[in-house]
Amino acid sequence: MMGLMDSELRIPTAQQLPALTASAVGSSSTLRQRAVKVEGGNDGQFPAGLRVLVVDDDPICLMILERMLQQCLYQVTTCGRATTALTMLRENKDRFDLVISDVYMPDMDG
């Protein structure tokens, strides 16, 4: 990923990711209430407005994931430290619908 220019990034559109997001969110009724139709897509539902916490110590990975998820109409919060992310989750368990985390980080792994 090193050396990628902004213009070289090919970030998928919301229409390209419905299968990924549908499998990630499961069958929660709260998430289904947030689902909206994909414009110009098939008749499937696409969850919009999900609150996602992305945790990674690599700022480039954080930026790419943030942009991709925002194109899916997600509300994205990024965090570069696992300990900070855990504190955020402990303070308010209902703040996020989904957490995407790097497994190997300098301050904590696993």
Side-chain angles (χ1 to χ4, degrees):
M1 264 201 203
M2 293 275 268
L4 280 179
M5 300 296 285
D6 222 25
S7 61
E8 295 173 337
L9 295 178
R10 299 290 183 247
I11 300 173
T13 65
Q15 290 85 355
Q16 295 170 319
L17 294 176
L20 170 64
T21 55
S23 65
V25 300
S27 61
S28 167
S29 62
T30 303
L31 300 180
R32 269 190 260 127
Q33 290 172 357
R34 295 179 184 201
V36 296
K37 285 226 182 225
V38 177
E39 291 182 27
N42 58 20
D43 289 345
Q45 297 291 306
F46 187 77
L50 293 180
R51 301 162 299 169
V52 181
L53 173 61
V54 180
V55 187
D56 200 315
D57 59 316
D58 183 337
I60 293 174
C61 287
L62 280 177
M63 178 192 68
I64 291 170
L65 275 170
E66 180 178 27
R67 288 183 184 180
M68 287 176 64
L69 294 168
Q70 285 174 341
Q71 285 188 358
C72 294
L73 305 177
Y74 291 164
Q75 299 170 24
V76 183
T77 302
T78 59
C79 186
R81 296 183 50 87
T83 52
T84 304
L86 280 175
T87 300
M88 291 167 63
L89 290 167
R90 287 180 179 139
E91 288 174 353
N92 187 351
K93 293 177 184 173
D94 296 324
R95 182 174 175 190
F96 301 102
D97 300 308
L98 179 68
V99 177
I100 301 173
S101 178
D102 184 1
V103 177
Y104 299 106
M105 296 186 64
D107 60 332
M108 180 183 293
D109 66 6

